[in-house]
Amino acid sequence: MEVSTHSPQETKKLAFEIAKKISKGSIIALYGDLGAGKTAFTRYLAGALGFKSRVQSPTFVVARRYERGDLAINHIDLYRLTSKQEAEEIGIDDFLKNRECITIIEWPEIIDGILPKETIRIFFEYTGENERTIKIQNLY
Ligand code: ADP
Ligand code: MG
């Protein structure tokens, strides 16, 4: 599926629709350049799933965790890592094995080869100041 959104608010609506289709164990890989909207999307998705805490970029800490009742989101950002080996050092295998929570990964390119086949992939492209083209794969 491919859509264009013309404001953050529209991306928020899209996140709301996507939230209905994901569940515990979902792994979501977010692709796109800096400023494409990966973190904003994660924030909207967490909001749609009822998480109240503010989602902040995990770029500098690599991973953040949000909890809500018996549901949790692990939000990972591999931007500062340069190889699969480095991702393994921060425990990416354990994150991917953990099916008790929702796992969201920004800059997943270095671990593309080890993402499970059911991974939902979302590609964000900057197409104008407030416009993004968003392609979604593997979400049914
Ligand atoms: P990334 O995590 O991909 O580097 P961010 O989510 O941090 O990007 O930043 C995206 C920025 O783009 C946010 O400031 C957001 O408000 C803005 N933006 C503008 N238009 C849109 C849109 N249509 N969808 C999502 N974000 C948008
Ligand atoms: Mg980001």
Side-chain angles (χ1 to χ4, degrees), residues 5 7-8 11 33-40 106 129-130 132:
T5 66
S7 63
T11 298
D33 290 338
L34 273 180
K38 304 177 295 299
T39 299
E106 298 190 34
E129 190 179 353
N130 291 308
R132 303 292 186 271

Side-chain angles (χ1 to χ4, degrees), residues 33-40 42 56-59 75 77 79 106-107:
D33 290 338
L34 273 180
K38 304 177 295 299
T39 299
T42 303
Q56 288 179 282
S57 174
T59 301
H75 182 198
D77 189 330
Y79 181 65
E106 298 190 34
W107 297 99

Side-chain angles (χ1 to χ4, degrees), residues 56-66 75-78 80-81 90 95:
Q56 288 179 282
S57 174
T59 301
F60 293 99
V61 292
V62 184
R64 291 184 193 272
R65 183 176 173 88
Y66 302 92
H75 182 198
I76 302 160
D77 189 330
L78 302 178
R80 297 198 308 138
L81 309 193
I90 64 111
F95 279 120

Side-chain angles (χ1 to χ4, degrees), residues 64-123:
R64 291 184 193 272
R65 183 176 173 88
Y66 302 92
E67 294 180 356
R68 195 212 85 180
D70 68 344
L71 187 61
I73 294 175
N74 281 330
H75 182 198
I76 302 160
D77 189 330
L78 302 178
Y79 181 65
R80 297 198 308 138
L81 309 193
T82 57
S83 66
K84 185 162 90 90
Q85 283 67 29
E86 281 183 19
E88 281 164 355
E89 282 161 25
I90 64 111
I92 196 68
D93 295 311
D94 291 329
F95 279 120
L96 295 176
K97 254 188 274 162
N98 180 351
R99 295 311 184 83
E100 291 302 306
C101 68
I102 292 165
T103 304
I104 302 177
I105 309 168
E106 298 190 34
W107 297 99
E109 285 84 350
I110 56 171
I111 58 156
D112 243 344
I114 60 169
L115 288 172
K117 64 174 180 350
E118 63 275 17
T119 299
I120 298 159
R121 287 181 164 83
I122 307 182
F123 300 85

